[in-house]
């Protein structure tokens, strides 16, 4: 099988891309982070599902867009074309579609059959691996890997023998476990033990059914009589307690009746709010009178203030002119300092211009100031400088590489090329050797091996009798497998393993095949008749070495010719680099002439001249500006003195003192006059406003006085104190009435309703409270005693009920015995199911172990040939004992070494050889699968990397191989002519 096309919808950095892949070797070349490992994981994900997320993020999300996942177009060995498409946003199986050549669509089971049982673990460990997997021997030794490979070779299809064994063991433990409690057989045994104990107990019960019934009836009757007496006593206790609770309220009512009779009923006519109305009107009247007095006081103060102020109207009329002259004089006060600063700045900038002219050399001021020192000009000098430097570096590097390549080519031509060898055809001889190996292996299997141990009575059955015994068990295995949810593939695996094991026993005494085929094969391989296994292995290694040597000779000749072409190309590149440098220098001189500078100057000198021109231009502009400032300041000072003198003369201000002093005195007088006018205006406005506010307040005082007088007259009172005394008496009478209503309502709550209040008050007038309390205590004690007697009688009746139920339980005895018989039958049936699975598991385990022991030497022999070739004969043998997870190697001198005694590179070469052996073992009995490698040769030295590359090319003649690498030299080693290299950059 091979991948005809790989398409990625979205995976990591890839989106909507695809590659058509040829049979054999394809080298995928790309720099670091070009996506090589991403493609390897994309192939794994399409075939076996997406890896789980990391830290909540999808593993290889579709960073560049597209639908996450992709499609593989596969071509089988028979030429059928299949399509496998899988998409998913997170980890897991995602959405899978497998399309057959007929157009039908399947799912996971179809894909399992197409892959011949190769699951994720097997594919990642053997067929698609990177440097991390290559460095770990544990990835090759797991039972899951061996089970899938040998399961395919044994004809079990997509089912692992180990998976079937594990499923059988799980089904055994699901039925019964010695220390378990939840398994069906364990639960049956527990229930059967409980039934045995209960049946024994029921058989020993005495019979006292009638006596228990009579005693229970008597206890129930006595308890009912006690309950009636208790109810009557509780009613009497309640009545007595009401009398005691109502006594305080009845006494309070009697007192309130006397107090209310002493008050005047006419007070009920007085409104409760009469006093509050009076008080509110009196408060409003007082407030209005206070406001009126406050306004009168403010009016008097304003009139006194206005009488003491006089205004200079002539000075006030010239206010704007005075302020303008004063502001201009203050603004010009710092003119002398500014004039000194301007003179100093003018001299400083003039010196700066002279300094830049001296720095530029023979340049005069107009020519220097005319230069363009813009950012574009400065950047142009840097761009020319970069071009000059790049052209110089490129020319030097091209010349150096050309000389080095020419020297190396001359040295290799002096040494001479590799000797040519005649082509030979070793393919037929190698094919004959492999057929011979398979023929002898079949003879060894037919000739017998270690006996298969069978459980139980089958262990004593020979040959055909054992076959008949297992065939009898096959229907049970199939029926129970379907009942427990086993798939058809798993049931087929169990049946196939059982039949294979017995057929090995039945055929162990057959005669070996005819030897005529062996003689023909020995002759095709160039060996004498009867050659031993060691001679056959040696001949195969010899033929493989011849094929590898011829491949190396052809590769070396091709590399020498490619080097000659490279030297010629580098010569042309050196000439082009020199011409580019000359053109860059000419372009720079032309730019200098165009911008008013002398040709031949360096870019750095040109930038310094441009910088000097910029500094001089800015200094000259500042110098001229300071000169203009000086002239303006002198003219402004003269004009201000003239305006101030004219103003002072018109307003007849004395001539003594300076202009500034006299002007300051005038401004002070003006500000005082303006302030006095502002005060007068504000006072007059306030006086008018207060007069307007006083009129409504005066009217309100008159209205409120009339309302107070009218309110007192309506209640027959001459003043406010008389009305307040009358309202206090009315409030006291209303309080007595309210207390009577509240007390009567609380008494009604005690008696059970307002209609019973008067009767209860009358009864309390005739009763003594001390006698009521004594009667209440006696009734309560009698009720408690009778309740205790009732509870004791009910407890006795309950005990008799339990006794009667125990006696009635004797009828369960037959039911329990019937249930026990049913459970014993179910337990026997489940035990039979458990025994069938135990026998099948034992047969499958022993058959698989024997098959691994017999087939492992083929894997190790093939791996030994690859390892010896890669190491150049340094290691002659790989030893991997069956059933042992360790691997060791032997040198050509016979020295044995474990894997942890090897260098890292040698250990990786060993693991690579073992993978080649496992790949070929899988392909012999199933189908060749594509092999994907991710930069696995980085730790190999030059010689072993060369031989390993030859081994990979040889493997590619039988399998499709995709090799990912970021090293161009490695791609050249694997694909010298570059025809099978695909760039990922």
């Amino acid at each position: 099988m091979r991948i005809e096309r790989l398409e990625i919808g979205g995976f990591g950095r890839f989106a909507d891309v695809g590659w058509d892949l040829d049979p054999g070797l394809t080298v995928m070349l790309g720099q670091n982070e070009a996506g090589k490992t991403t493609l390897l994981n994309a192939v794994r994900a399409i075939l076996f599902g997406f890896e789980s997320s990391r830290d909540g993020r999808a593993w290889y999300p579709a960073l560049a867009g597209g639908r996450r996942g992709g499609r593989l177009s596969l071509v089988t060995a028979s030429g059928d074309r299949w399509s496998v498409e899988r998409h998913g946003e997170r980890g897991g199986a995602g959405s899978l579609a497998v399309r057959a050549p007929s157009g039908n669509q399947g799912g996971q089971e179809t894909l399992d059959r197409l892959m011949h049982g190769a699951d994720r673990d097997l594919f990642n460990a053997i067929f698609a691996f990177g440097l991390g997997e290559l460095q770990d021997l544990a990835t090759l030794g797991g039972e899951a890997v061996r089970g899938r490979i040998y399961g395919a070779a044994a004809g079990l299809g997509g089912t692992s023998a180990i998976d079937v064994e594990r499923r059988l063991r799980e089904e055994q433990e699901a039925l019964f476990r010695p220390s378990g409690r939840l398994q069906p057989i364990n639960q049956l045994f527990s229930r059967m033990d409980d039934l045995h104990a209960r049946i024994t107990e029921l058989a020993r019960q005495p019979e006292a059914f009638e006596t228990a019934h009579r005693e229970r009836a008597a206890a129930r009757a006595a308890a009912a009589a006690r309950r009636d007496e208790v109810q009557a006593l509780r009613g009497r206790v309640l009545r007595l307690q009401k009398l005691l609770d109502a006594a305080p309220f009845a006494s309070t009512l009697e007192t309130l009746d006397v107090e209310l009779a002493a008050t005047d009923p006419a007070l009920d006519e007085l409104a409760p709010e009469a006093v509050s109305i009076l008080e509110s009107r009196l408060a409003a009247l007082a407030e209005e009178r206070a406001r009126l007095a406050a306004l009168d006081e403010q009016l008097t103060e304003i009139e006194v203030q206005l009488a003491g102020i006089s205004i200079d109207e002539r000075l006030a009329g010239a206010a704007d002119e005075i302020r303008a002259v004063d502001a201009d004089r203050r603004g010009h006060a710092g003119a002398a300092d500014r004039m000194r600063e301007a003179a100093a700045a003018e001299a400083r900038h003039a010196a700066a211009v002279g300094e830049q002219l001296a720095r530029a050399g023979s340049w005069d001021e107009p020519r220097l100031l005319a230069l363009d020192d813009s950012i574009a000009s400065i950047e142009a000098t840097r761009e020319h400088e970069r071009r000059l430097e790049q052209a110089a570096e490129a020319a030097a590097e091209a010349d150096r590489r050309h000389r080095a390549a020419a020297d190396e080519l001359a040295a290799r031509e002096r040494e001479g090329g590799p000797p040519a060898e005649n082509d030979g055809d070793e393919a037929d001889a190698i094919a004959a050797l492999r057929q011979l190996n398979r023929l002898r292996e079949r003879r060894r299997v037919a000739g017998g091996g270690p006996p298969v141990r069978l459980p139980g009575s089958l262990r004593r059955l020979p040959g055909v009798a054992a076959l008949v015994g297992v065939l009898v068990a096959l229907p049970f295995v199939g029926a129970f497998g379907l009942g427990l949810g086993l798939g058809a593939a798993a049931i087929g695996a169990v049946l196939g393993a059982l039949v294979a094991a017995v057929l090995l026993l039945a055929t162990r005494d057959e005669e070996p095949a005819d030897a005529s085929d062996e003689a023909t094969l020995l002759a095709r391989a160039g060996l004498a008749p009867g050659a031993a296994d060691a001679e056959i292995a040696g001949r195969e290694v010899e033929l493989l070495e011849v094929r590898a040597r011829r491949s190396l000779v052809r590769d070396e000749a091709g590399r020498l010719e490619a080097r000659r072409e490279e030297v010629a190309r580098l010569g042309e590149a050196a000439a082009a680099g020199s011409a580019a440098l000359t053109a860059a220098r000419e372009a720079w001189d032309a730019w200098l002439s165009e911008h008013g500078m002398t040709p031949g100057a360096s870019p750095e000198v040109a930038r310094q001249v441009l910088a000097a021109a910029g500094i001089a231009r800015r200094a000259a502009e500042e110098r001229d500006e300071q000169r203009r400032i000086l002239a303006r300041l002198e003219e402004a000072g003269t004009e201000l003195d003239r305006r101030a003198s004219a103003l002072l003369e018109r307003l007849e201000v004395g001539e003594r003192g300076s202009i500034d002093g006299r002007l300051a005195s005038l401004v002070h007088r003006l500000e005082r006059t303006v302030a006095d006018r502002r005060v007068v205006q504000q006072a007059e406005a306030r006086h008018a406003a207060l007069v307007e506010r006083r009129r409504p307040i005066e009217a309100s005082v008159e209205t409120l006085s009339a309302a107070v007088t009218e309110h007192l007259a309506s209640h027959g009172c001459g003043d406010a104190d008389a009305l307040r005394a009358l309202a206090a008496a009315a409030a006291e009478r209303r309080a007595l009435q309210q207390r009577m209503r509240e007390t009567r309502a609380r008494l009604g709550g005690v008696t059970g309703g307002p209609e019973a209040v008067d009767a209860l008050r009358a009864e309390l007038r005739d009763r003594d409270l001390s006698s009521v309390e004594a009667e209440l205590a006696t009734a309560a004690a009698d009720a408690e005693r009778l309740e205790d007697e009732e509870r004791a009688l009910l407890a006795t009746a309950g005990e008799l009920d339990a006794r009667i139920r125990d006696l009635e339980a004797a009828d369960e005895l037959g039911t329990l015995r019937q249930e026990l018989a049913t459970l014993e039958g179910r337990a026997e049936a489940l035990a039979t199911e458990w025994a069938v699975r135990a026998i099948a598991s034992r047969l499958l385990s022993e058959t698989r172990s024997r098959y691994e022991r017999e087939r492992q030497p083929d894997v190790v022999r093939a791996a030994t040939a690859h390892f010896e070739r890669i190491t150049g004969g340094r290691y002659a043998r790989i030893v991997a004992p069956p059933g042992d997870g360790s691997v060791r190697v032997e040198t050509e001198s016979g020295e044995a070494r474990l894997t942890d005694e090897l260098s890292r590179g040698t250990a990786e070469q060993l693991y690579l050889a073992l993978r080649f052996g496992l790949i070929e073992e899988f392909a012999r009995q199933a189908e060749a699968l594509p092999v994907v490698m991710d930069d696995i040769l980085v730790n190999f030295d030059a010689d072993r990397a060369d031989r390993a590359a030859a081994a990979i090319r040889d493997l590619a003649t039988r399998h499709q191989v995709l090799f990912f690498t970021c090293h161009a030299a490695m791609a050249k080693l694997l694909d010298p002519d570059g025809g099978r290299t695909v760039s990922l950059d």
Side-chain angles (χ1 to χ4, degrees):
M1 179 192 298
R2 67 179 180 88
I3 302 174
E4 186 175 44
R5 180 169 175 78
L6 166 61
E7 296 179 0
I8 304 296
F11 202 81
R13 66 182 296 272
F14 294 109
D16 298 325
V17 294
W19 295 268
D20 292 320
L21 303 176
D22 296 328
L25 176 65
T26 298
V27 179
M28 311 289 280
L29 175 62
Q31 298 297 324
N32 290 332
E33 300 186 0
K36 303 179 297 300
T37 305
T38 302
L39 281 181
L40 170 63
N41 284 284
V43 173
R44 291 173 172 174
I46 294 172
L47 288 175
F48 302 106
F50 301 97
E51 294 288 344
S52 58
S53 62
R54 286 186 175 181
D55 299 329
R57 296 180 291 108
W59 187 228
Y60 284 106
L63 298 176
R67 186 183 179 193
R68 185 168 180 257
R71 178 171 57 206
L72 293 177
S73 298
L74 304 176
V75 179
T76 63
S78 60
D80 295 332
R81 282 178 167 76
W82 293 72
S83 172
V84 178
E85 185 172 355
R86 191 188 301 266
H87 295 89
E89 294 303 322
R90 287 184 287 273
S95 174
L96 172 66
V98 182
R99 292 180 178 82
S102 62
N104 295 334
Q105 180 171 315
Q108 189 60 51
E109 291 186 2
T110 304
L111 181 58
D112 290 341
R113 290 194 299 273
L114 181 63
M115 296 297 291
H116 295 275
D119 61 0
R120 179 193 297 273
D121 293 337
L122 175 62
F123 191 77
N124 292 348
I126 305 300
F127 292 96
F129 55 93
L131 188 60
E133 292 87 359
L134 183 66
Q135 293 173 342
D136 189 2
L137 177 62
T139 59
L140 300 176
E143 282 196 348
V145 173
R146 297 201 313 274
R148 291 289 182 180
I149 290 177
Y150 295 124
L156 298 181
T159 302
S160 168
I162 293 175
D163 290 344
V164 176
E165 290 179 44
R166 183 170 59 252
R167 183 65 176 272
L168 289 173
R169 286 194 299 270
E170 290 173 354
E171 291 174 357
Q172 285 179 251
E173 294 183 355
L175 289 173
F176 173 72
R177 185 182 296 172
S179 59
R181 290 181 301 173
L182 303 178
Q183 290 73 18
I185 296 179
N186 295 87
Q187 291 181 350
L188 286 174
F189 286 168
S190 176
R191 177 59 181 163
M192 289 163 62
D193 291 342
D194 293 341
L195 290 175
H196 279 297
R198 182 64 176 162
I199 289 171
T200 301
E201 180 183 356
L202 291 176
R204 293 195 300 268
Q205 289 288 347
E207 297 183 3
F209 191 75
E210 294 296 332
T211 302
H213 267 286
R214 286 194 301 272
E215 292 177 357
R216 182 181 65 178
R220 287 177 176 176
R226 299 296 189 280
R227 188 181 308 111
D228 294 339
E229 294 179 20
V230 168
Q231 289 177 351
L233 285 172
R234 289 299 180 191
R236 181 167 180 77
V237 166
L238 181 61
R239 176 64 181 168
L240 294 172
Q241 186 62 52
K242 283 183 179 180
L243 286 175
L244 292 176
D245 294 339
F249 301 110
S251 176
T252 300
L253 283 176
E254 297 295 337
T255 302
L256 291 174
D257 285 342
V258 174
E259 292 178 355
L260 186 62
T263 61
D264 184 4
L267 293 173
D268 294 337
E269 302 298 328
L270 182 64
E273 66 275 8
V275 174
S276 62
I277 292 174
L278 175 64
E279 297 294 345
S280 66
R281 290 178 180 178
L282 289 173
L285 178 60
E287 182 179 356
E288 290 298 295
R289 285 174 175 170
R291 291 175 60 196
L292 188 62
L295 288 174
D296 290 341
E297 183 179 357
Q298 292 178 36
L299 287 171
T300 301
E301 291 177 356
I302 292 172
E303 290 169 356
V304 172
Q305 181 183 17
L306 290 173
I309 298 176
S310 63
I311 304 299
D312 186 351
E313 296 297 340
R314 182 183 177 191
L315 189 62
D320 293 339
E321 185 179 359
I322 294 171
R323 290 192 183 98
V325 172
D326 181 62
D328 292 342
R329 293 286 293 182
R330 283 199 304 272
H332 194 68
D337 293 337
R338 290 200 296 275
M339 290 175 68
R340 285 192 295 272
E341 292 174 358
E346 186 271 338
R348 186 170 61 253
H349 291 305
V353 173
E355 180 182 352
Q356 297 305 317
L357 287 171
R359 182 183 174 196
S362 59
W363 293 66
D364 55 19
E365 180 175 339
R367 181 186 174 196
L368 183 64
L369 297 183
L371 291 179
D372 179 14
D373 66 330
S374 64
I375 294 175
S377 295
I378 300 298
E379 185 59 31
T381 64
R382 292 194 176 95
E383 180 62 26
H384 279 285
E385 185 175 32
R386 284 193 291 271
R387 292 175 182 173
L388 288 169
E389 291 175 352
Q390 291 172 357
E393 291 175 0
E397 176 64 17
D399 185 63
R400 184 191 62 75
R401 293 177 62 186
H402 176 251
R403 288 197 302 272
D407 294 343
E408 181 185 354
L409 177 60
R412 294 182 66 174
E413 288 177 341
R414 285 194 300 272
E415 293 173 359
E421 293 189 13
N422 295 327
D423 292 337
D425 186 11
E426 297 82 17
D428 183 66
I430 292 174
L433 289 174
R434 291 177 178 170
Q435 293 178 20
L436 184 61
N437 284 331
R438 287 196 290 272
L439 177 60
R440 290 195 173 184
E441 181 59 24
R442 286 197 296 272
R443 289 181 178 175
R444 281 194 293 273
V445 173
V452 178
R453 298 183 60 194
L454 301 176
S457 60
L458 293 180
R459 196 176 298 162
R460 299 187 294 273
L461 297 176
V464 177
L467 176 60
V468 173
V470 174
L471 290 177
V472 171
L474 293 184
F476 293 95
V477 176
F480 290 129
L482 292 173
L484 295 175
L486 281 174
I491 297 174
V494 175
L495 300 180
L498 292 173
V499 175
V502 178
L503 288 177
L504 284 174
L505 291 174
T507 59
R508 62 184 299 175
D509 296 328
E510 293 179 2
E511 290 296 328
D514 192 356
S516 60
D517 292 341
E518 180 174 331
T520 301
L521 294 173
L522 286 170
R524 286 171 56 192
L527 294 174
D533 289 346
E535 294 177 285
I536 294 173
R539 178 59 175 163
E540 185 174 3
V541 171
E542 177 185 348
L543 292 171
L544 291 173
E545 288 180 349
V546 170
R547 176 185 287 178
R549 189 162 53 251
R550 289 200 179 105
S551 176
L552 290 174
V553 169
R554 287 192 297 270
D555 292 346
E556 180 60 25
R559 284 194 289 272
L560 189 59
E561 180 60 28
R563 196 60 179 169
R564 291 190 187 99
E565 296 175 358
E566 180 70 10
V567 169
R569 185 184 64 77
L570 290 175
E572 295 174 357
S578 178
L581 177 58
T582 301
R585 288 172 176 166
E586 293 174 352
W588 169 240
D589 287 340
W591 188 90
L592 289 172
S593 299
E594 181 182 349
H595 288 78
M597 286 183 281
T598 304
S602 68
E604 178 60 29
V605 171
R607 284 195 294 273
Q608 291 180 4
V609 172
L610 291 176
I615 295 172
R617 182 183 300 106
R618 289 187 290 274
E621 291 172 355
E622 288 294 330
R623 178 196 62 194
D624 297 341
E625 178 63 22
Q626 296 303 321
R627 290 174 179 171
R628 288 189 291 272
I629 290 173
L630 280 170
R632 286 197 302 271
L633 290 174
E634 291 174 354
E635 182 181 354
T638 302
E639 175 63 21
L640 281 174
D641 288 343
R642 185 192 62 76
R643 289 172 58 199
S645 297
L647 177 64
L648 292 171
E649 182 179 356
R650 191 175 71 251
L651 295 177
E652 299 178 353
V653 178
E655 297 180 358
R656 298 178 62 183
S658 64
I659 294 177
D660 289 337
R662 292 158 63 198
L663 183 62
S665 176
L666 183 62
V667 170
H668 178 69
R669 286 171 52 196
L670 174 64
E671 295 301 329
R672 189 168 62 248
T673 300
V674 170
D676 288 344
R677 171 168 284 183
R678 187 181 304 111
V679 169
V680 169
Q681 292 173 348
Q682 291 175 352
E684 291 175 346
R686 288 179 59 203
H687 188 277
L690 290 173
V691 170
E692 291 298 322
R693 288 174 57 191
R694 190 179 185 283
R695 291 192 185 94
I697 295 174
E698 187 176 9
S700 177
V701 168
E702 294 176 357
T703 302
L704 288 173
S705 297
V708 169
T709 302
E710 181 184 359
H711 185 70
L712 291 172
S714 66
H715 290 88
C717 297
D719 56 20
D721 291 339
L723 181 60
R724 292 189 186 101
L726 190 63
E732 183 178 354
R733 178 176 173 81
R734 286 194 296 271
L736 288 173
Q737 292 172 341
Q738 179 62 27
R739 288 182 60 193
M740 287 188 67
R741 286 193 295 271
E742 293 175 353
T743 304
R744 190 174 183 86
R746 295 176 67 182
L747 183 59
V750 173
T751 60
E755 63 278 0
V757 169
D758 293 335
L760 186 62
R761 291 178 66 185
E763 184 178 356
L764 283 172
R765 295 189 189 102
D766 299 335
R767 296 291 299 268
D768 182 11
L769 292 180
S770 60
S771 63
V772 173
E773 291 176 352
E775 187 178 351
L776 174 63
T778 301
D782 291 342
E784 291 179 359
R785 176 178 55 78
L786 292 173
E787 285 176 346
D788 291 340
E789 292 178 1
E790 179 188 5
R791 283 192 291 271
L793 290 169
L794 290 175
T796 301
E799 293 173 356
L800 292 171
D801 279 337
R803 178 65 175 166
I804 291 171
R805 284 195 299 272
D806 290 341
L807 294 174
E808 290 174 346
D811 295 338
E812 299 177 7
L813 191 59
T815 302
L816 296 178
R817 286 173 175 166
Q818 182 178 0
E819 182 182 356
L820 178 62
T822 302
L823 294 180
E824 288 174 345
R826 290 175 57 191
E828 183 177 357
L830 290 175
T832 302
E833 291 185 28
W834 182 89
V836 169
R837 281 162 176 76
I839 293 173
S841 178
R842 183 64 176 273
L843 281 171
L844 185 57
S845 177
E846 294 189 1
T847 303
R848 180 179 59 81
S849 298
R850 175 175 177 181
Y851 187 81
E852 287 188 12
R853 288 194 302 272
E854 293 175 354
R855 296 302 296 174
Q856 190 178 19
D858 287 345
V859 175
V860 175
R861 276 196 297 272
T864 298
H866 289 295
F867 189 50
E868 185 177 12
R869 176 183 181 182
I870 293 172
T871 60
R874 176 73 176 85
Y875 294 94
R877 186 181 178 208
I878 300 175
V879 180
D884 188 351
S886 65
V887 176
R888 64 178 184 272
V889 297
E890 293 182 358
T891 65
E892 54 189 352
S893 61
E895 178 186 358
R897 293 183 183 177
L898 296 175
T899 54
D900 56 5
E901 297 175 327
L902 302 175
S903 68
R904 182 172 67 175
T906 304
E908 293 175 7
Q909 292 150 19
L910 169 61
Y911 302 156
L912 180 61
L914 288 171
R915 279 179 169 80
F916 284 0
L918 290 169
I919 288 170
E920 293 178 348
E921 171 65 19
F922 187 92
R924 272 196 290 271
Q925 299 297 335
E927 182 172 349
L929 297 181
V931 181
V932 186
M933 307 176 192
D934 185 6
D935 245 348
I936 61 171
L937 306 182
V938 295
N939 294 325
F940 293 14
D941 59 39
D943 291 339
R944 292 192 179 180
D946 200 2
R947 288 191 287 270
I952 293 173
R953 288 196 299 271
D954 179 64
L955 181 70
T957 62
R958 301 178 297 281
H959 297 74
Q960 184 185 40
V961 177
L962 305 181
F963 194 97
F964 297 102
T965 182
C966 62
H967 302 286
M970 187 65 67
K972 189 74 172 178
L973 190 65
L974 289 163
D975 182 23
D977 58 3
R980 291 183 170 274
T981 300
V982 176
S983 176
L984 295 178
D985 294 330

